[in-house]
Amino acid sequence: MKFVVSFSAGKDSMLALHEMVEAGHEPAALLVMYRQEAGRSWVHGVDPELLAAIGEALAIPLIRCNANSDTYNGDMERGLRQARDLGAEACVFGDIDTPGHREWDEARCAAAGLKAVLPLWRRDRIDAVLKTLELGYQCLIKCVRRDILPEQWLGQPLNAGHVKQMLAWGVDACGESGEYHTVVTGGPLFRHPVPIKNCGLVFLDQVIAADLVLDKGTE
């Protein structure tokens, strides 16, 4: 089956992509929802040059779908129809266990004539994040909520030590409620790691983010 991934460039969407490929399915595209006025992707705040480099390293076409808050549902459906035109039969999501998220995923796909597939659904959250790390994916901590996690973690590779510390603090180690977000820059599906440099901090709504950009000096 050919599929498109609702792709945040973070660990959960990457694990969902990995499991679909491992099961023998073919990725048709990565669908990234893009906030044009901010010049970054929604939620994770990844800039277009880095998004393009990640798509190139994965050798999967990237659909960058401009979206506004008041038209987001329709914008997503437009991106899904574009993926359908590329041969996708389904859209894959990295959601784990929030019922409202699944309902939203299924509604958008139904409107676009695609099937919604959630490979991580009902997965143990800790198992999901640790499996991503054990597979060898390089997940950099991109955003944190400052009232929950230390900003000193920004730009660091996520590791088992971070997971252990979050559990000790009573924080969801998967970040399913937006406690933190990651960007994945290397791992089994990548043809090569994506070189990154950290240009400081940026503020995105309720989170603070590392301004991680493509490091052209290593190309």
Side-chain angles (χ1 to χ4, degrees):
M1 177 178 67
K2 292 188 74 172
F3 65 94
V4 59
V5 184
S6 178
F7 192 68
S8 67
K11 58 181 178 52
D12 296 335
S13 61
M14 186 61 68
L15 181 58
L17 169 61
H18 179 96
E19 295 206 347
M20 290 295 289
V21 172
E22 193 173 52
H25 301 293
E26 179 185 352
L30 307 170
L31 175 59
V32 178
M33 302 305 287
Y34 188 75
R35 197 170 184 173
Q36 193 165 18
E37 68 272 20
R40 297 175 181 271
S41 66
W42 277 85
V43 183
H44 290 227
V46 184
D47 72 81
E49 194 169 37
L50 180 53
L51 287 171
I54 291 170
E56 187 276 331
L58 289 167
I60 303 174
L62 182 74
I63 298 173
R64 199 180 82 192
C65 186
N66 294 330
N68 297 312
S69 57
D70 56 345
T71 59
Y72 193 95
N73 289 0
D75 295 331
M76 175 73 170
E77 292 161 14
R78 171 170 47 83
L80 290 173
R81 286 191 290 271
Q82 187 175 343
R84 187 189 62 194
D85 292 342
L86 294 176
E89 305 165 63
C91 182
V92 170
F93 299 86
D95 293 303
I96 296 176
D97 59 14
T98 303
H101 291 180
R102 180 171 194 137
E103 293 167 7
W104 187 88
D105 298 341
E106 291 174 344
R108 302 287 74 72
C109 285
L114 296 177
K115 178 182 178 182
V117 178
L118 288 76
L120 311 184
W121 192 248
R122 298 301 186 193
R123 180 76 56 85
D124 179 85
R125 294 186 183 192
I126 301 172
D127 172 72
V129 64
L130 291 179
K131 181 173 182 181
T132 307
L133 298 177
E134 289 164 2
L135 285 168
Y137 283 103
Q138 299 157 24
C139 309
L140 301 181
I141 299 173
K142 182 73 172 66
C143 310
V144 298
R145 279 185 51 185
R146 288 184 295 167
D147 58 331
I148 295 177
L149 294 173
E151 66 181 62
Q152 290 81 2
W153 283 13
L154 289 168
Q156 292 186 20
L158 180 66
N159 58 43
H162 291 121
V163 174
K164 183 177 180 180
Q165 186 64 70
M166 284 188 274
L167 293 174
W169 289 336
V171 175
D172 175 18
C174 198
E176 186 72 353
S177 297
E179 295 87 345
Y180 75 101
H181 299 298
T182 58
V183 60
V184 183
T185 60
L189 291 183
F190 284 74
R191 297 187 301 173
H192 56 79
V194 178
I196 294 291
K197 65 179 178 180
N198 190 345
C199 293
L201 301 178
V202 291
F203 294 90
L204 305 170
D205 297 328
Q206 295 182 341
V207 302
I208 186 170
D211 190 14
L212 303 178
V213 302
L214 182 65
D215 186 356
K216 298 179 182 179
T218 63
E219 293 180 337

